[in-house]
């Protein structure tokens, strides 16, 4: 920043900030001590909600958050000074000024030049409505690391209801009823007012949408806005009764023993037949509940998460008949199979949307599943001064047939082969090795038999072994120890799972990951009903074959895993794919270009010995001193080189290659 | 002079892909690349001359030899340990040849422990003997960098401030088994101004990178045996002294070698004060201060503590201070005059020629290497000085 203004010779008015949840940004001494995001949200709400603050005017002993008060009093007039803020900077700033960083950040995104936040703030309708709806139309949206964007979209539009949710919902509804009763006795006028407002409908929202001020909310479909809330749920009591009926219906449905899969229209018809609930009121459910909660002045929203979930479910299921499915089996889940529903408003609203990731490959499948027409697609290769990655494909016999990836009838010899590979690698690779398995069960079984065969003991003579578990706290502990072991020269191996936390979010720079080993191809659990439904939908709607999608999904995860090791041009790492199937053209073709480039025929189908020899040679080569000057002109350009005609042409050529 | 070190049987070697290095030229011939490779390997030497910088001439170097299990690996022939020890023998010779007033000590580490093989001493023979004996060592367990550094520090920290304190670790294993946090030790090393360099035999290990970076040493990983030798020879040259190290004048004695003539009947064989083989001899070096007798130089007088050297010793380390400038490389086409090397009088056939910057004489590659590695002065410059 300072460098920039010095170079250009002018001070620029540039504001960039990061936004996160209350949990990460809260500086209130009591609230920030809470451990769970939900608790923090709830507590914050109870301290800052408008009616609480209104109450305080009359009775001063109601606790409020002084940071928020301070911010509300002065913070809005004074904009955040230009600069670049990450979460800690924001917190610091907040502490200094005594303003709430969370609200400050939320307010500041309106005039910030760059905002960095999680996908959910834009894609998840419930949050997007609060946070992102006032973003200017001409903003550029960049989805970085977007290789998983379809899953995020689907998650944000899917609802999962278990019996426990229903039980909690039941108590919620009871409380609602009681509160309504109480308010009716004391303050009947309020309810009347709400009623009137509902008759007028959501006109305001509609006007806003037409003038294009806000980002469209997919939970709030267009039709609703044009109509008034239907009569049978307008009064509070009726609405509660309605909710109760709906709940009972869901409960009865959950009692089934076998798996039921229904499309949305089927589900709606059934619900109409059984408890006489029409489609229309269901649609308004979410909105109506919001309104009710506001009217009833219920402070702790967190407690009502169950009932909110149910009402969202009702709205979603009644609105989107296409591309969703209801699945009843112990738990009831509404799954959205069409990721385009969630992302559509984003495409509609913003001028340019950029989807980018290091492992976005093959490119053409994304426009198909997200249902958009890309303006340009480009995939850049990495220009490296030295070949700093070394992908090797080892030739293990195919261990299992395609369909039952998870059946654990693993041949002993295969396990031993895997073990030998890891053992040999642990002897020649310095510092850290990360090994990825396809699933937890698979990993546990293999590790158990390694233990029996004594392989584990041999490995431990070379390096320490750490294992990722489904438990987050345990895993982060293991990670910490792993890094410590790499740091002080003991060396370590981290055994983890391809779709786990480690594979997605943790970077293994330099010595933390000198080698990544993929045992097997990380296919999703193909027996999952949700996946089956989704595959079916993809085949019917987008003509994408199941096999294609599964391979695509597996390979993007594989690429994601092995990509963990190389996080920069001075970094280097081995990538070992320990499965014969990677050598096939259909798998290889789906790896990102920058990995594909380095796979030549010589690095396919290697035995353990060959792999060891190659790796030894590679590691020695890479350990030779590497200076910045060597990169100049290849992967690092000086200003003159960048401006030269030749280089510009070269860049243009690379961009057009796709 | 660049004969390929004799290899063991080809089939005993590892899986190699020699063909990948080769590239065909336009006519499909491999000749060009082969020549290129040979030429490159000849030129690969230390050109970076330090110029006029202070060098630590009196060196105290501890060489730590990893004797862990991984030393049994056969990627260096016949195995890593034997190969390392053999190279170290030449290193020791070369070291004392180039740094006659310096000292060296050997430490081995295995099975999580460190042992002293030889104490810091200025006598190459003792070290060579110890290295020869060490060939039979059984390699087992893991090395411990911490323990060996600790052991080296014990002696190094008593060395006077004007000498350079160095540790060279030859590490084959990729792990180290330490009793305590090594970061603390690195800080101590830094404060004691001990320079730690590492030569890795297998791959880059993070802790060594940190260790060498913090203490100002160098870290290299070998590619093959000849590269290993090259890297070892890098450590023969004295390192630049850190500006903060003390300056002091050192008293030195230049004893004369006197042999009592056999005709002299008074002469009796006498005991030497110290030496490799204490025993009776007729002649020896006598300390100018206390007249203690020594059979070999350089040595520190056991009696009065005076450093005893001979004049040629000092002269030999002198050239490090004023290294011969690197010759200028230029393609042979640009050179118009007679195409003969000034040194060997052979025809200049290689692609490049080398010109001495001061007397403009022209040399071929072989002679250029010979002049820089052994002569340390340009023959033509000397000639022109003495002629008038």
């Amino acid at each position: 920043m300072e460098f920039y203004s010095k170079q250009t010779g002018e001070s620029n008015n540039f504001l960039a900030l990061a936004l996160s949840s209350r949990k990460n940004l809260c500086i209130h001494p009591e609230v920030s001590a809470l451990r769970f995001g939900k608790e923090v949200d709830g507590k914050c709400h109870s301290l800052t909600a408008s009616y609480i603050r209104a109450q305080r005017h009359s009775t001063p002993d109601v606790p409020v958050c002084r940071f928020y008060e301070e911010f509300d009093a002065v913070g809005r007039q004074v904009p955040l000074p230009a600069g670049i803020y990450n979460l800690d900077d924001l917190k610091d700033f907040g502490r200094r000024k005594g303003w709430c960083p969370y609200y400050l950040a939320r307010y500041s995104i309106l005039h910030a030049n760059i905002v960095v936040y999680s996908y959910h703030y834009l894609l998840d309708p419930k949050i997007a409505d609060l946070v992102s709806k006032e973003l200017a139309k001409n903003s550029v949206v960049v989805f970085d690391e977007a290789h998983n964007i379809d899953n995020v979209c689907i998650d944000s539009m899917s609802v999962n209801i278990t019996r426990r949710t229903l039980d909690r919902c039941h108590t919620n509804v009871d409380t609602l009823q009681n509160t309504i009763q109480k308010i009716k006795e004391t303050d009947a006028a309020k309810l009347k007012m709400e009623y009137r407002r509902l008759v007028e409908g959501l006109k305001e929202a509609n006007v806003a949408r037409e003038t294009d001020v806000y980002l469209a909310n997919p939970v709030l479909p267009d039709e609703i806005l044009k109509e008034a809330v239907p009569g049978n749920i307008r009064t509070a009591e009726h609405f509660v009764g309605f909710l109760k009926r709906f709940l009972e219906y869901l409960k009865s449905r959950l009692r089934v023993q076998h798996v039921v899969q229904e499309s949305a229209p089927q589900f709606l018809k059934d619900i109409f037949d059984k408890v006489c609930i029409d489609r229309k009121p269901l649609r308004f459910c979410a909105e109506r509940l919001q309104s009710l909660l506001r009217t009833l002045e219920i402070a702790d929203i967190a407690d009502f998460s169950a009932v909110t979930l149910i009402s969202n479910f009702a709205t979603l299921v009644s609105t989107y008949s296409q591309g969703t499915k209801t699945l009843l089996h112990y738990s009831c889940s509404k799954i959205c199979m069409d990721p385009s529903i969630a992302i559509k408003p984003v495409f509609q609203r913003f001028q340019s949307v950029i989807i980018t990731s290091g492992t976005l490959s093959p490119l053409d499948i994304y426009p198909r599943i997200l249902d958009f027409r890309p303006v340009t697609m480009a995939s850049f290769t990495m220009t490296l001064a030295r070949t700093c990655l070394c992908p090797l494909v080892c030739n293990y016999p195919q261990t299992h047939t395609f369909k039952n990836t998870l059946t654990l009838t693993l041949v002993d010899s295969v396990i031993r082969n895997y073990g030998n590979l890891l053992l040999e690698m642990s002897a020649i690779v310095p510092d850290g090795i990360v090994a990825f398995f396809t699933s937890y069960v698979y990993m546990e079984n293999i590790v158990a038999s390694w233990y029996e065969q004594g392989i584990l003991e041999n490995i431990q003579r070379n390096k320490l072994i750490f294992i990722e578990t489904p438990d987050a706290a345990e895993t982060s502990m293991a990670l910490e120890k792993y890094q410590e072991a790499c740091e002080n020269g003991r060396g370590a191996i981290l055994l983890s799972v391809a779709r786990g936390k480690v594979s997605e979010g943790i970077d293994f720079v330099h010595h933390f990951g000198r080698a990544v080993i993929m045992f097997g191809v990380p296919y999703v659990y193909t027996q999952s009903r949700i996946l089956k439904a989704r595959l079916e939908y993809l085949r019917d709607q987008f003509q994408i074959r199941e096999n294609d999608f599964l391979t695509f999904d597996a390979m993007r995860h594989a690429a994601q895993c092995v990509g963990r090791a190389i996080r920069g041009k001075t970094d280097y790492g081995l990538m070992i794919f320990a499965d014969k199937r990677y050598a096939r053209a259909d798998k290889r073709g789906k790896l990102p270009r920058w990995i594909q480039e380095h796979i030549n025929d010589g690095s396919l189908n290697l035995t353990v010995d060959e792999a060891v020899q190659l790796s030894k040679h590679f590691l020695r080569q890479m350990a030779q001193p590497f200076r910045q000057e060597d990169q100049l002109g290849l992967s690092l350009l000086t200003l003159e080189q960048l401006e030269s005609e030749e280089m510009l042409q070269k860049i243009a050529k690379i961009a057009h290659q796709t | 002079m660049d004969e390929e070190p004799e290899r063991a049987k080809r089939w005993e070697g590892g899986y190699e892909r020699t063909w990948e290095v080769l590239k065909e030229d336009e006519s499909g011939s491999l000749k060009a690349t082969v020549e290129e490779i040979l030429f490159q390997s000849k030129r690969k030497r230390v050109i970076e001359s330090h110029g006029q910088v202070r060098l630590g001439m009196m060196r105290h170097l501890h060489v730590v030899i990893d004797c862990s299990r991984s030393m049994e690996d056969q990627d260096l022939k016949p195995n890593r340990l034997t190969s390392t020890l053999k190279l170290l023998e030449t290193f020791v010779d070369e070291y004392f040849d180039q740094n006659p007033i310096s000292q060296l000590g050997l430490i081995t580490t295995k099975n999580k422990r460190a042992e002293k093989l030889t104490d810091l001493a200025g006598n190459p023979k003792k070290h060579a003997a110890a290295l020869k004996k060490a060939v039979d060592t059984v390699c087992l367990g893991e090395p411990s960098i911490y323990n060996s550094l600790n052991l080296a520090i014990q002696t190094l920290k008593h060395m006077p401030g004007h000498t350079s304190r160095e540790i060279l670790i030859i590490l084959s294993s990729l792990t180290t088994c330490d009793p305590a946090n090594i970061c603390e030790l690195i800080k101590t090393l830094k404060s004691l101004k001990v320079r730690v360099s590492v030569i890795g035999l297998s791959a880059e290990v993070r802790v060594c990178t940190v260790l060498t970076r913090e203490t100002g040493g160098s870290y290299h990983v070998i590619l093959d045996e000849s590269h290993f030798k090259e890297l070892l020879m890098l450590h023969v040259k004295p390192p630049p002294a850190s500006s903060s190290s003390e300056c002091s004048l050192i008293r030195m004695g230049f004893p004369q070698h006197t042999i009592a003539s056999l005709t002299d009947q008074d002469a009796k064989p006498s005991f030497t004060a110290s030496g490799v083989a204490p025993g009776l001899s007729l002649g020896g070096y006598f300390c100018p201060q206390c007249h203690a007798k020594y059979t070999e130089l350089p040595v520190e007088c056991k009696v009065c503590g005076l450093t005893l050297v001979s004049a040629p010793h000092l002269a030999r380390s002198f050239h490090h201070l004023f290294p011969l400038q690197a010759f200028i490389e230029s393609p042979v086409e640009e050179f118009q005059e007679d195409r003969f090397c000034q040194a060997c009088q052979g025809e200049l056939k290689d692609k490049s020629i080398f010109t001495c910057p001061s007397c403009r004489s022209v040399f071929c590659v072989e002679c250029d290497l010979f002049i820089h590695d052994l002569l340390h002065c340009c023959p033509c410059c000397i000639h022109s000085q003495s002629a008038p």
Side-chain angles (χ1 to χ4, degrees):
Chain A
M1 186 79 179
E2 270 165 30
F3 172 78
Y4 194 80
S5 50
K6 215 183 347 182
Q7 287 286 308
T8 52
E10 58 193 63
S11 66
N12 39 10
N13 203 13
F14 187 83
L15 179 66
L17 59 94
L19 179 62
S20 181
S21 64
R22 287 187 179 87
K23 180 176 179 287
N24 295 332
L25 277 174
C26 188
I27 52 171
H28 191 278
E30 287 162 35
V31 181
S32 56
L34 295 170
R35 275 190 62 203
F36 295 103
K38 257 189 191 154
E39 286 177 9
V40 176
D41 283 357
K43 190 88 181 159
C44 181
H45 235 279
S46 67
L47 291 176
T48 56
S50 54
Y51 42 81
I52 299 277
R53 296 177 55 229
Q55 265 178 36
R56 188 184 152 87
H57 281 293
S58 46
T59 47
D61 54 334
V62 178
V64 289
C65 172
R66 68 191 163 87
F67 295 103
Y68 182 75
E69 292 299 318
E70 190 74 20
F71 167 72
D72 201 47
V74 280
R76 279 184 219 275
Q77 280 83 35
V78 194
L80 200 60
I84 297 166
Y85 299 85
N86 62 19
L87 296 181
D88 289 332
D89 293 340
L90 276 173
K91 270 166 122 171
D92 272 357
F93 185 79
R95 264 192 212 108
R96 254 197 338 264
K97 295 266 184 184
W99 298 347
C100 173
Y102 174 72
Y103 282 98
L104 178 71
R106 259 180 63 179
Y107 177 71
S108 302
I109 62 173
L110 295 181
H111 57 260
N113 300 62
I114 294 180
V115 185
V116 180
Y117 57 45
S118 140
Y119 287 170
H120 295 279
Y121 285 6
L122 198 59
L123 292 178
D124 195 325
K126 288 146 261 170
I127 314 172
D129 200 34
L130 286 172
V131 181
S132 319
K133 70 176 176 184
E134 288 176 22
L135 291 180
K137 190 173 161 42
N138 54 7
S139 326
V140 178
V141 181
V142 181
F143 290 101
D144 195 9
E145 299 287 331
H147 45 272
N148 260 346
I149 194 164
D150 53 327
N151 290 345
V152 177
C153 290
I154 287 172
D155 281 349
S156 71
M157 294 294 283
S158 299
V159 184
N160 195 7
I161 297 167
T162 58
R163 205 162 289 175
R164 261 187 62 215
T165 333
L166 286 184
D167 289 342
R168 269 175 44 219
C169 195
H170 215 79
T171 48
N172 284 171
V173 173
D174 284 344
T175 356
L176 272 183
Q177 202 166 18
N178 290 339
T179 339
I180 289 169
Q181 215 64 45
K182 237 186 283 163
I183 290 206
K184 212 169 180 189
E185 283 157 19
T186 56
D187 198 1
K190 207 175 208 169
L191 286 176
K192 282 227 182 70
M193 211 162 75
E194 189 202 10
Y195 183 83
R196 260 207 313 284
R197 211 171 57 226
L198 292 173
V199 175
E200 278 172 28
L202 302 156
K203 262 189 206 138
E204 276 171 53
N206 193 25
V207 170
R209 179 168 293 186
E210 270 163 15
T211 50
D212 204 33
V213 184
Y214 296 148
L215 175 73
N217 183 347
V219 183
L220 202 65
D222 280 342
E223 303 95 83
I224 294 190
L225 297 175
K226 296 204 179 72
E227 296 167 47
V229 175
N232 54 355
I233 56 168
R234 255 180 240 167
T235 50
E237 295 100 329
H238 291 170
F239 179 62
V240 171
F242 169 85
L243 273 182
K244 270 191 172 165
R245 276 215 311 277
F246 186 60
L247 264 181
E248 284 309 318
Y249 170 73
L250 284 180
K251 262 194 184 160
S252 72
R253 289 304 302 267
L254 277 187
R255 256 172 237 135
V256 287
Q257 293 300 314
H258 56 284
V259 184
V260 183
Q261 215 181 84
E262 279 179 344
S263 69
Q266 274 175 325
F267 181 78
L268 288 174
K269 184 160 183 310
D270 192 60
I271 210 171
F272 184 70
D273 290 347
K274 294 252 174 71
V275 284
C276 295
I277 290 181
D278 210 352
R279 186 176 166 185
K280 201 170 151 198
L282 270 182
R283 262 198 226 164
F284 287 89
C285 212
E287 202 51 31
R288 181 67 189 86
L289 183 75
Q290 288 295 318
S291 152
L292 186 67
L293 288 179
R294 264 203 305 276
T295 325
L296 296 182
E297 300 187 351
I298 288 162
D300 217 345
I301 300 276
D303 290 348
F304 284 85
S305 59
V307 73
T308 323
L309 196 72
I310 299 281
S311 64
N312 277 337
F313 168 73
T315 310
L316 283 171
V317 81
S318 55
T319 315
Y320 298 104
S321 47
Q322 275 280 311
T324 60
K325 217 159 233 182
T326 322
L327 199 72
L328 299 159
H329 181 242
Y330 300 120
S331 66
C332 165
S333 44
K334 191 233 100 186
I335 32 167
C336 161
M337 286 169 303
D338 192 354
S340 61
I341 294 176
I343 205 165
K344 202 186 248 162
V346 179
F347 283 130
Q348 277 170 355
R349 166 132 178 95
F350 296 108
Q351 212 169 18
S352 1
V353 180
I354 300 169
I355 294 181
T356 155
S357 169
T359 50
L360 209 58
S361 141
L363 273 178
D364 54 329
I365 205 161
Y366 284 91
R368 272 159 80 193
I369 55 177
L370 292 180
D371 193 22
F372 68 95
R373 221 162 29 78
V375 183
T376 51
M377 283 198 288
S379 120
F380 295 95
T381 61
M382 283 206 288
T383 39
L384 299 164
R386 51 173 194 177
T387 45
C388 67
L389 53 149
C390 180
L392 305 168
V393 181
C394 294
N395 66 343
Y396 291 116
Q398 197 166 339
T399 52
H400 17 246
T401 48
F402 174 64
K403 271 293 171 193
N404 40 7
T405 328
L406 279 182
T407 42
L408 295 159
T409 50
L410 279 167
V411 199
D412 251 10
S413 69
V414 174
I415 297 181
R416 202 172 309 123
N417 259 339
Y418 280 166
N420 272 339
L421 177 71
L422 193 63
L423 178 62
E424 294 287 328
M425 284 299 156
S426 72
I428 59 156
V429 177
D431 301 329
I433 299 180
V434 190
F436 287 103
F437 294 84
T438 46
S439 71
Y440 286 112
V441 194
Y442 188 75
M443 176 166 80
E444 275 160 24
N445 277 281
I446 287 189
V447 172
S449 43
W450 279 351
Y451 177 73
E452 280 162 20
Q453 292 168 357
I455 293 175
L456 221 52
E457 200 183 324
N458 284 334
I459 292 176
Q460 268 182 325
R461 279 158 69 187
N462 295 326
K463 287 188 191 313
L464 305 179
I465 296 177
F466 297 95
I467 297 180
E468 182 191 2
T469 58
D471 182 6
E474 234 175 287
T475 305
S476 56
M477 179 80 172
L479 260 176
E480 205 175 285
K481 292 288 166 206
Y482 167 79
Q483 287 175 342
E484 200 183 308
C486 292
E487 197 70 58
N488 60 28
R490 186 67 188 86
I493 297 177
L494 184 67
L495 305 178
S496 56
V497 170
R499 282 154 198 277
K501 180 183 165 222
V502 171
S503 72
E504 280 298 327
I506 316 289
D507 284 350
F508 295 100
V509 280
H510 296 289
H511 56 289
F512 291 134
R514 282 293 180 224
V516 179
I517 307 177
M518 285 288 312
F519 291 116
V521 184
Y523 283 115
V524 275
Y525 177 49
T526 37
Q527 301 299 303
S528 140
R529 293 196 173 74
I530 299 179
L531 182 78
K532 274 186 175 164
R534 195 171 159 206
L535 286 175
E536 213 168 275
Y537 180 78
L538 281 174
R539 192 188 52 214
D540 296 345
Q541 292 288 314
F542 300 120
Q543 286 80 45
I544 296 172
R545 283 186 301 143
E546 287 120 324
N547 208 337
D548 276 351
F549 182 78
L550 285 175
T551 322
F552 152 75
D553 189 63
M555 290 320 282
R556 74 173 165 193
H557 276 101
Q560 190 61 27
C561 293
V562 296
R564 295 288 101 199
I566 295 186
R567 316 305 300 173
K569 292 198 167 169
T570 50
D571 205 351
Y572 64 88
L574 283 164
M575 301 173 167
I576 299 163
F577 298 96
D579 198 306
K580 206 178 187 174
R581 285 173 287 174
Y582 284 105
R584 285 202 214 139
D586 65 323
K587 309 272 188 313
R588 255 170 82 187
K590 286 192 171 67
L591 283 171
R593 276 261 298 274
W594 55 272
I595 298 180
Q596 260 186 65
E597 271 183 342
H598 294 280
I599 305 184
N600 47 14
D601 289 340
S603 52
L604 295 176
N605 277 336
L606 303 169
T607 60
V608 175
D609 287 353
E610 287 170 324
V612 165
Q613 285 300 335
L614 277 179
S615 328
K616 256 187 183 172
H617 183 70
F618 169 77
L619 287 168
R620 281 189 178 153
Q621 284 289 333
M622 285 300 114
Q624 301 311 311
F626 183 57
R627 286 156 305 160
Q628 206 175 19
E629 298 92 72
D630 297 339
Q631 295 189 46
L632 271 180
L634 271 169
S635 57
L636 195 72
L637 301 176
T638 57
L639 190 63
E640 295 90 64
Q641 279 169 330
L642 186 64
E643 280 168 351
S644 74
E645 194 62 29
E646 188 193 0
M647 194 51 81
L648 288 176
Q649 275 172 3
K650 208 163 136 194
I651 292 169
K653 209 176 96 198
I654 294 171
H656 280 297
Q657 262 170 14
T658 51
Chain B
M1 63 197 295
D2 261 298
E3 279 171 22
E4 230 184 326
E6 213 205 329
R7 295 195 178 222
K9 300 286 178 288
R10 200 68 193 175
W11 55 84
E12 286 177 356
Y15 174 73
E16 289 170 53
R17 295 186 168 185
T18 40
W19 61 89
E20 282 185 355
V21 196
L22 303 178
K23 279 191 205 93
E24 296 183 355
D25 61 7
E26 287 98 29
S27 56
S29 148
L30 291 173
K31 200 170 166 244
T33 37
V34 174
E35 277 180 355
E36 182 71 18
I37 291 166
L38 284 178
F39 185 71
Q40 286 298 329
S41 65
K42 276 182 191 166
R43 276 295 287 166
K44 245 197 293 163
R45 61 191 177 86
V46 228
I47 301 176
E48 60 217 58
S49 55
H50 299 293
Q52 306 271 343
V53 283
R54 277 181 58 192
L55 297 175
M57 299 298 294
M58 291 189 75
R59 303 172 66 187
H60 291 113
L61 175 71
H62 262 299
V63 180
V64 178
I65 309 164
D66 177 1
C67 283
S68 63
R69 198 157 35 91
S70 59
M71 279 305 259
E72 282 171 352
D73 201 315
Q74 301 191 336
D75 54 358
L76 299 174
K77 301 295 175 258
N79 66 16
R80 283 184 184 175
L81 183 71
T82 323
S83 167
T84 308
L85 292 176
K86 216 169 79 192
L87 285 174
L88 271 178
E89 273 180 51
T90 51
F91 171 75
V92 169
D93 281 345
E94 196 79 1
Y95 176 84
F96 283 112
D97 189 49
Q98 305 278 331
N99 310 285
I101 48 174
S102 305
Q103 297 189 349
L104 187 94
L106 295 172
I107 292 173
T108 58
T109 170
K110 65 179 177 187
N111 215 359
K112 301 164 197 161
R113 285 187 184 80
E115 282 169 31
K116 203 174 271 182
L117 206 61
T118 55
D119 277 316
L120 267 186
N123 197 317
K125 280 184 193 150
K126 215 164 75 183
H127 299 304
L131 284 173
K132 280 220 176 70
K133 224 166 67 189
V135 176
D136 302 328
T137 331
V138 188
C139 302
L140 50 102
E142 290 120 356
S144 170
I145 295 183
Y146 185 94
N147 287 339
S148 25
L149 286 177
N150 223 352
L151 190 62
I153 286 181
Q154 298 307 325
T155 48
L156 281 181
K157 72 178 168 199
H158 300 302
M159 292 302 149
H162 59 82
T163 61
S164 80
R165 305 161 180 174
E166 293 168 65
I167 299 173
L168 171 66
I169 304 176
I170 294 169
L171 188 69
S172 149
S173 168
L174 292 167
T175 62
T176 154
C177 198
D178 297 337
N181 194 352
I182 199 160
C183 302
E184 301 299 317
L185 191 68
I186 293 177
K187 275 183 207 141
T188 330
L189 285 167
K190 212 175 161 187
S191 63
L192 284 172
K193 297 201 194 68
V194 179
R195 215 178 101 105
V196 186
S197 299
V198 181
I199 296 180
L201 300 191
S202 32
E204 183 189 351
V205 181
R206 172 68 177 181
V207 76
C208 298
T209 321
V210 176
L211 178 68
T212 50
R213 197 181 56 211
E214 291 296 315
T215 57
S218 61
Y219 183 29
H220 295 283
V221 175
I222 64 159
L223 289 172
D224 49 28
E225 207 166 331
S226 55
H227 189 224
F228 186 15
K229 191 175 175 189
E230 215 169 276
L231 291 177
L232 261 181
M233 290 314 154
L234 280 184
H235 291 278
V236 167
K237 267 195 160 183
S242 56
S243 53
S244 54
S245 70
E246 300 165 31
C247 300
S248 58
L249 293 170
I250 312 161
R251 284 169 66 94
M252 277 188 185
F254 295 89
Q256 279 195 327
H257 191 245
T258 46
I259 300 174
S261 60
L262 288 169
T263 50
D264 189 354
Q265 292 303 314
D266 299 339
K268 289 181 188 104
S270 57
F271 283 100
T272 51
S274 87
V276 190
L280 296 166
S281 63
L282 279 172
Y285 300 95
F286 291 91
C287 175
Q289 206 163 274
C290 61
H291 295 286
K293 185 176 146 193
Y294 296 93
T295 45
E296 271 175 338
L297 291 181
V299 77
E300 192 171 286
C301 180
K302 283 276 153 77
V303 182
C304 58
L306 189 70
T307 313
L308 303 179
V309 289
S310 68
H313 283 144
L314 269 191
R316 246 190 293 160
S317 34
F318 188 68
H319 74 257
H320 290 301
L321 288 173
F322 305 102
L324 184 61
Q325 276 176 299
F327 290 175
I328 302 156
E329 186 181 353
S330 54
V332 74
E333 288 82 25
E334 285 177 19
F335 187 61
Q336 302 299 332
E337 297 162 44
D338 296 341
R339 295 193 172 173
F340 287 107
C341 169
Q342 294 284 339
C344 63
Q345 299 301 318
E347 202 183 335
L348 293 169
K349 282 173 290 189
D350 288 317
K351 266 187 282 178
S352 309
I353 52 164
F354 299 88
T355 320
C356 170
S358 56
C359 69
R360 318 301 302 170
S361 307
V362 183
F363 300 97
C364 65
V365 187
E366 305 285 351
C367 294
D368 173 52
L369 290 174
F370 179 72
I371 290 167
H372 278 94
D373 290 347
L374 294 171
L375 287 185
H376 302 294
C377 61
C378 170
C380 295
C381 295
I382 301 267
H383 188 252
S384 58
Q385 274 167 18
S386 57

